[in-house]
Amino acid sequence: MAYSAKYTPRPFTDVFTSDTDINRRECTRKVPMKVLILGLGRTGTASMRAAMKQLGYVDTYHMMNCSIENPPDALMWMDALTAKYDGVGKKFTREDWDQLLGNAQAVCDWPSIAFAKELIEAYPEAKVVLTNRDVHTWHASTMKTVYWRVTDPELRWLSHFDWAASMYQPMLQKFFDTFFKGDFPNKGKEVFLNHYEEVRSLVPKERLLEYKVTEGWEPLCEFLGEPVPKDSPFPNVNDNSDFVTRSRRRNRNQMYNCLLRYAFNTSAAVLSGLAVYHGAVNG
């Protein structure tokens, strides 16, 4: 059974988070896919998302789309991951990608980079940007942020009770177990380097920009054929400093959602029991 077939609507008691509830299997492409940003997460992808928005692109799909904006996306990503790495289910075609990414004109970050080859084949008309940074500082940054999140015991606990975490946490774990071969601390750097070589081998040079966000607007805008924003510095979205704090805050809000749902269900059960008792006594 496909993971996306397990979709359930957001509980009305989830009032402490502002997640949306869109079942992507019911969606189609709304805007053309123009840019594939295929550098690994923690190479400035959050800054790239902000920059692309400033250039007028209609959404750049990022892990945040799935983790804190529309958690049901994780179900389709699980379908894609299990089809590719486990041979379970149908491998994604352009139709599937159009469902999942149909509202975006660009895509970046994980888990999409696990499907670099598939996305390049699905969207041959799209330009490719390969964001990069020093592999050692990248690995250290990821260990302190996203890998910490993968191993976060609170998130794992929440995955058994919370609507959003039950979709997101298994997908995040699956991504790291497959793409990074189940050993990010020891194999992450090797996977990083191999990924960049693979993308370089798949994309004609005229369609590929190797880029570091520290280079600013000029090389990016020249490659995309966009005017350089005037009097506007390139975005610097450095979420490294407060990543853990924000993640723990979301954990707390999800716990509050669970407690409210438990309180509501318990109250409903008690009231139902009292109604039955009253009917039996007075029947």
Side-chain angles (χ1 to χ4, degrees), residues 4 22-29 61 73 76 90 92-103 123:
S4 54
I22 302 169
N23 183 359
R24 298 293 182 196
R25 281 298 185 188
E26 298 177 354
C27 298
T28 57
R29 179 151 296 284
Y61 194 99
D73 286 5
M76 277 198 72
K90 178 178 70 72
F92 272 34
T93 63
R94 180 164 176 154
E95 180 182 2
D96 298 295
W97 295 121
D98 281 349
Q99 288 179 329
L100 180 54
L101 307 173
N103 64 320
Y123 302 107

Side-chain angles (χ1 to χ4, degrees), residues 123-155:
Y123 302 107
E125 68 281 9
K127 294 182 177 182
V128 178
V129 177
L130 196 55
T131 51
N132 207 340
R133 68 182 287 186
D134 173 76
V135 65
H136 303 294
T137 60
W138 165 82
H139 189 265
S141 172
T142 306
M143 284 291 294
K144 292 186 294 185
T145 54
V146 186
Y147 185 70
W148 170 86
R149 190 66 166 150
V150 175
T151 58
D152 178 11
E154 286 187 354
L155 180 61

Side-chain angles (χ1 to χ4, degrees), residues 4-24:
S4 54
K6 301 176 183 178
Y7 163 81
T8 57
R10 178 187 177 192
F12 72 90
T13 49
D14 278 17
V15 299
F16 295 97
T17 50
S18 56
D19 309 335
T20 58
D21 179 13
I22 302 169
N23 183 359
R24 298 293 182 196

Side-chain angles (χ1 to χ4, degrees), residues 139 143 147 176 180 182-189:
H139 189 265
M143 284 291 294
Y147 185 70
F176 269 76
F180 289 113
D183 188 4
F184 178 80
N186 296 303
K187 297 181 179 179
K189 293 180 183 180

